[in-house]
Amino acid sequence: MKFFVDTADVAAISELNDLGMVDGVTTNPSLILKSGRDILEVTKEICGIVSGPVSAEVVAIKADEMIAEGRKLAKIAPNIAVKVPLTWDGLKACKVLTGEGNMVNVTLCFSANQALLAAKAGATFISPFIGRLDDINLDGMELIADIRTIYDNYNFTTQILAASIRTVNHVTEAARIGADVMTAPPEVIRKLAMHPLTDKGLELFLADWAKTGQKII
Ligand code: G3P
């Protein structure tokens, strides 16, 4: 499973990238707002740190304007994936932008039928939002499973990018189902390393080690 980090926080991206944990980055207008940075500047900086796909989202509503924005974003760096919303206009923009050789991430996907359309429009990535479905008492993980089945039934090559991941259990489940990629905030990725029995075990080992009176260095 590829790990994308869902943030425009350059320091967090660098730290995780140095650990080999970052196969790509996803951003969106809310994350750009949170960063307090200019979209073109911060996206360029991220593309200089990470060699994998970096999603940058258009904000236009009409297809022709999305295409113009997508072309501008794609010029930032060769590893840009243009992010478009899963609307009819977004699908049109996806088709044109992928036809021009760009990676396209179709975002705000909340149904299997939407994912089917994105694959047919040539999307590189489909981003189903798990957490936001869970928020309204639906099952985000069921959507990931449905899309996996449908894409496999027809050999669609669009990669399933499990998004809106909020918990470590979301990561485990998405991996179990076979999502190609997951994107999560840096804090969720860090939490994947945590286990109370690891902490407890380490505490016991260190207490016993102190009793030996030895030193390694
Ligand atoms: O990249 C978009 C997505 O991951 C949003 O997550 O937590 O705002 O629903 P969230």
Side-chain angles (χ1 to χ4, degrees):
M1 178 188 240
K2 284 180 246 174
F3 273 25
F4 288 3
V5 57
D6 199 27
T7 187
D9 178 339
V10 173
I13 292 167
S14 279
E15 189 211 337
L16 291 168
N17 191 56
D18 288 348
L19 282 170
M21 300 294 173
V22 180
D23 300 303
V25 170
T26 50
T27 65
N28 61 39
S30 306
L31 293 170
I32 296 296
L33 172 70
K34 199 171 165 191
S35 77
R37 305 267 313 266
D38 173 82
I39 183 171
L40 299 177
E41 276 175 27
V42 74
T43 307
K44 191 172 178 148
E45 196 176 336
I46 295 168
C47 288
I49 299 168
V50 175
S51 54
V54 174
S55 290
E57 189 161 341
V58 302
V59 289
I61 301 296
K62 292 187 178 157
D64 53 346
E65 291 168 15
M66 284 186 202
I67 293 164
E69 287 182 355
R71 285 176 181 149
K72 182 163 181 181
L73 291 170
K75 279 197 189 118
I76 295 173
N79 54 332
I80 285 286
V82 179
K83 211 170 172 189
V84 300
L86 212 156
T87 58
W88 202 248
D89 280 73
L91 292 169
K92 283 184 190 169
C94 173
K95 184 73 183 156
V96 171
L97 290 166
T98 53
E100 292 175 357
N102 299 296
M103 289 185 283
V104 175
N105 176 358
V106 180
T107 189
L108 290 167
C109 171
F110 294 97
S111 79
N113 284 336
Q114 288 182 316
L116 189 51
L117 290 176
K120 291 189 76 67
T124 316
F125 301 103
I126 181 69
S127 289
F129 275 29
I130 298 169
R132 293 192 194 184
L133 283 168
D134 290 357
D135 286 345
I136 58 162
N137 213 19
L138 293 173
D139 188 345
M141 217 47 76
E142 197 177 299
L143 175 59
I144 301 291
D146 284 347
I147 300 172
R148 182 73 284 155
T149 303
I150 291 167
Y151 280 10
D152 289 351
N153 281 349
Y154 300 100
N155 296 320
F156 283 120
T157 54
T158 299
Q159 295 179 52
I160 302 173
L161 198 174
S164 185
I165 283 198
R166 309 268 179 77
T167 68
V168 291
N169 288 344
H170 279 157
V171 179
T172 314
E173 279 302 295
R176 202 177 58 79
I177 291 165
D180 301 284
V181 191
M182 73 92 196
T183 189
E187 52 277 18
V188 172
I189 295 176
R190 286 191 203 104
K191 273 189 197 156
L192 295 173
M194 294 176 190
H195 199 288
L197 289 180
T198 303
D199 296 341
K200 197 176 168 196
L202 184 60
E203 201 180 301
L204 282 171
F205 285 156
L206 292 180
D208 286 343
W209 182 248
K211 286 178 207 156
T212 69
Q214 298 181 41
K215 282 195 170 142
I216 294 176
I217 293 174

